[in-house]
Amino acid sequence: MRPETLLYPAPEGLFCPDGGFYVDPVRPVERALITHGHSDHARAGHAHVLATRQTLDIMRLRYGEDFAGSEQAVGYGEALSVNGVNVSFHPAGHVLGSAQIAIGKGGTRIVVSGDYKRRPDPTCAAYEPVACDIFITEATFGLPVFHHPDPLTEMAKLLGSLRQFPERTHLIGAYALGKAQRVIRLLRDAGYDQPIYIHGAMERLCDYYVGQGIDLGELRPATVEVSDAAAFRGAVVVGPPSAFSDRWARRFQEPLAAFASGWMLVRQRAKQLGVELPLVISDHCDWPELTETITELHPAEVWVTHGREEALVRWCELAGIPARPLHLIGYEDEGD
């Protein structure tokens, strides 16, 4: 079966006509297969959703009980047939519950990576390579300039800052799903055993992670009034980046703004955001990981989506692997 007839871009997202489903559609559809819970991939309003149990739970936490007409949970490696199309979900290593989706029929197998990373992360199942004819890869950091450092090195920078500025509250900007929990766990693994304060927008997701067996240590709500701001002297506070521009952030004791993101490798972006301590911690593959993954899988063809598509397509061509950009729209960098 020709890959272009098995799965192709449509206005709603990647569409499999034989299976009658879309992968991570950007608008409500009859049947959606969802790779993970970030809002640019998992939207409410679909008639039927197929995803991992954790992704379904996260969608419910974010959108409410009626996020979809019906839902079906699938385990990693479980084989399903959707209207005669073979479908299976495999760990992507991006966030809790994240999955690559393998789609096969007529001797052709396509793997949709969704968002993925190769670095170790105790807050989610590790990426597993899945043999395929066509590999659809993200390219969020698909430029040769992106070489992300070891996350433990970034934690050492944070711990060093805490020692250097013991009187200041360290505010760490991190997205509520995945990045916040990973940063907290990295701090714990680096030996930080003090209470960590979290913004109210993160409480339910952190509670869910803990309920799934992810040890985050002692967490406290970052509720602050002017009268008790000194209680956060020298503390670590984790909150969504959007909260750092409102009154909530200005109430803390001499706040030192940090931001955990792969984009902190771009100094100008950190400067524009007023970040004093950039922490280069990404939940996506950097350039070496993208190219190493493609080399390892050695697919017959690579399709590249949502990111810096052209550079990775060119690298594939120079490596003798046919490749093309999909030019999908509607996928941002919520998870980084």
Side-chain angles (χ1 to χ4, degrees), residues 5-330:
T5 59
L6 179 58
L7 191 72
Y8 58 81
E12 296 84 355
L14 287 171
F15 180 53
C16 176
D18 285 7
F21 61 78
Y22 294 84
V23 177
D24 292 349
V26 298
R27 62 186 70 167
V29 298
E30 180 64 25
R31 184 178 296 273
L33 277 57
I34 305 298
T35 60
H36 66 281
H38 281 142
S39 60
D40 57 332
H41 291 257
R43 291 170 166 84
H46 306 306
H48 182 77
V49 171
L50 177 66
T52 65
R53 177 75 271 160
Q54 291 166 330
T55 293
L56 293 172
D57 290 345
I58 288 167
M59 291 180 72
R60 181 172 291 102
L61 285 172
R62 304 190 96 181
Y63 300 127
E65 289 293 332
D66 58 349
F67 71 91
S70 66
E71 63 184 72
Q72 181 180 351
V74 58
Y76 288 133
E78 180 182 350
L80 298 176
S81 177
V82 180
N83 297 325
V85 175
N86 299 319
V87 171
S88 57
F89 285 56
H90 306 268
H94 180 55
V95 298
L96 190 62
S98 62
Q100 307 168 81
I101 302 178
I103 300 166
K105 186 176 182 181
T108 297
R109 193 185 208 196
I110 300 175
V111 169
V112 183
S113 73
D115 291 337
Y116 67 109
K117 71 172 180 291
R118 304 297 302 267
R119 303 289 176 98
D121 180 356
T123 68
C124 66
Y127 168 91
E128 294 180 3
V130 181
C132 56
D133 302 295
I134 309 295
F135 183 53
I136 302 181
T137 180
E138 61 137 319
T140 302
F141 292 103
L143 290 174
V145 69
F146 288 112
H147 288 241
H148 296 146
D150 186 332
L152 292 179
T153 301
E154 300 304 285
M155 285 298 103
K157 286 167 49 178
L158 175 57
L159 293 174
S161 181
L162 285 164
R163 289 190 296 269
Q164 184 178 0
F165 304 107
E167 74 286 356
R168 301 183 68 182
T169 303
H170 282 60
L171 302 183
I172 305 175
Y175 290 104
L177 171 59
K179 183 61 65 63
Q181 296 79 21
R182 186 179 179 209
V183 166
I184 292 169
R185 180 56 188 262
L186 281 168
L187 265 173
R188 299 308 189 195
D189 290 345
Y192 187 81
D193 59 3
Q194 299 300 306
I196 294 175
Y197 296 86
I198 58 173
H199 188 278
M202 297 178 169
E203 288 185 17
R204 289 197 300 168
L205 284 168
C206 284
D207 287 345
Y208 181 74
Y209 267 66
V210 171
Q212 292 293 302
I214 310 300
D215 184 7
L216 300 178
E218 183 181 356
L219 302 179
R220 296 180 183 177
T223 304
V224 59
E225 301 298 337
V226 174
S227 60
D228 66 357
F232 293 88
R233 177 185 176 93
V236 171
V237 178
V238 182
S242 59
F244 284 30
S245 60
D246 63 24
R247 293 176 56 194
W248 175 84
R250 293 192 294 272
R251 295 176 179 179
F252 292 101
Q253 183 79 18
E254 297 185 57
L256 188 155
F259 188 14
S261 169
W263 294 111
M264 291 299 96
L265 198 62
V266 182
R267 293 182 180 179
Q268 187 61 29
R269 182 173 289 206
K271 184 177 180 180
Q272 289 172 347
L273 293 173
V275 175
E276 193 170 343
L277 180 63
L279 301 172
V280 185
I281 301 172
S282 177
D283 283 335
H284 297 263
C285 288
D286 63 5
W287 177 261
E289 291 166 330
L290 289 169
T291 57
E292 288 165 10
T293 299
I294 294 169
T295 300
E296 178 183 3
L297 293 174
H298 197 65
E301 189 172 345
V302 173
W303 299 350
V304 185
T305 181
H306 60 283
R308 282 71 202 158
E309 299 176 340
E310 299 299 339
L312 193 56
V313 167
R314 180 59 177 160
W315 179 91
C316 289
E317 292 171 344
L318 292 174
I321 302 172
R324 65 184 179 96
L326 292 183
H327 300 306
L328 296 177
I329 59 173

